[in-house]
Amino acid sequence: MKVALLAGGYGTRLSEETAVKPKPMVEIGGRPIMWHIMKYYAHYGLRDFVVLGGYKVEYIRDYFLNYRANECDFTIDLKSGGVEWAQAVAEDWRVTVIDTGGETMTGGRLRRARHLLDEGTFCLTYGDGLSDVDLDKLLAAHRGSNAWCTLTAVVQPGRYGALHLSEDGLHVRGFREKAAADGGLINGGFFVCEPELLDLIDGDDTVLEDQPMARLIERGKLAGFPHHGYWQSMDSLRDRHVLEEQWARGAPWKVWE
């Protein structure tokens, strides 16, 4: 199963870092936050990644093209250019990086990757959010929901959009992006999707969280997976400092050895 990561936005509220790199490449504990997300998915056996790049996508490309050289010990014959690696691989991952356009919205980015994601169920998440959500339980809930998309519903007050769930907590009845600080459940990403979702995205200017979500709700095909554990996005410099402190103390999302 493939995991798509939205990694193309400008990250303007973290401009201290994103002036030189895309937000998913801002480091926590010396590693890009996207690396932490990928390590988390890999812990659950999901290792085939599709990175939906845009703003400064070349930074992401360079990172993965040089990943092995930067992570592994090696011996190089400077005359022939031959390299002997002390380790076979740095990570058992398959990573596809695509340029989905600098101005493309979240839905449009996903639509541009259709040729990579239309074979079956796939995961999708934002490149700037960390959690300890149980991905096995999330996948099981999605498979039992008959939904085209299941999103992880988390508790976070303030500047995020709020969700209205059914009484059983398994279906989304309403979706308000950028809601008031009412402490309701919000979209925390960590989606599981079916290819049918891609048919609901009109073009590059489509925001995934707007019309496609409304269309899913109209069809009864948007499910929610309530998660009351850890979740934190990196939306500002303050958020980055919070994540750095948590990493130093033993991060809740670090489930790998």
Side-chain angles (χ1 to χ4, degrees), residues 165-232:
L165 299 185
S166 58
E167 290 185 3
D168 60 9
L170 300 179
H171 291 84
V172 178
R173 300 304 187 199
F175 188 100
R176 288 186 294 127
E177 189 68 2
K178 308 301 181 187
D182 54 15
L185 290 173
I186 64 151
N187 167 27
F190 294 90
F191 303 89
V192 184
C193 307
E194 300 300 325
E196 287 84 353
L197 168 63
L198 304 174
D199 294 329
L200 306 181
I201 301 171
D202 293 331
D204 283 356
D205 60 350
T206 302
V207 177
L208 177 65
E209 298 80 5
D210 290 343
Q211 194 173 62
M213 292 293 172
R215 289 172 173 172
L216 285 170
I217 291 169
E218 289 171 0
R219 292 164 172 78
K221 292 296 185 179
L222 180 61
F225 180 76
H227 172 62
H228 298 285
Y230 175 82
W231 179 87
Q232 176 66 52

Side-chain angles (χ1 to χ4, degrees), residues 31 35 62-71 90-91 93:
R31 301 276 193 168
W35 177 90
D62 288 346
Y63 178 78
F64 287 110
L65 284 171
N66 295 298
Y67 190 90
R68 190 179 188 186
N70 290 328
E71 294 293 323
E91 301 287 353
W93 300 348

Side-chain angles (χ1 to χ4, degrees), residues 126-201:
Y126 302 108
D128 61 356
L130 293 164
S131 179
D132 64 355
V133 59
D134 188 319
L135 295 180
D136 287 337
K137 291 182 179 179
L138 170 60
L139 286 165
H142 174 77
R143 292 183 178 118
S145 69
N146 195 37
W148 292 350
C149 177
T150 298
L151 59 79
T152 300
V154 301
V155 177
Q156 178 79 7
R159 61 190 180 274
Y160 300 92
L163 302 173
H164 173 63
L165 299 185
S166 58
E167 290 185 3
D168 60 9
L170 300 179
H171 291 84
V172 178
R173 300 304 187 199
F175 188 100
R176 288 186 294 127
E177 189 68 2
K178 308 301 181 187
D182 54 15
L185 290 173
I186 64 151
N187 167 27
F190 294 90
F191 303 89
V192 184
C193 307
E194 300 300 325
E196 287 84 353
L197 168 63
L198 304 174
D199 294 329
L200 306 181
I201 301 171

Side-chain angles (χ1 to χ4, degrees), residues 32-51:
I33 189 171
M34 187 163 63
W35 177 90
H36 292 263
I37 297 168
M38 295 166 81
K39 286 287 283 188
Y40 192 81
Y41 273 96
H43 174 76
Y44 285 89
L46 300 168
R47 301 184 177 92
D48 192 350
F49 299 98
V50 179
V51 180

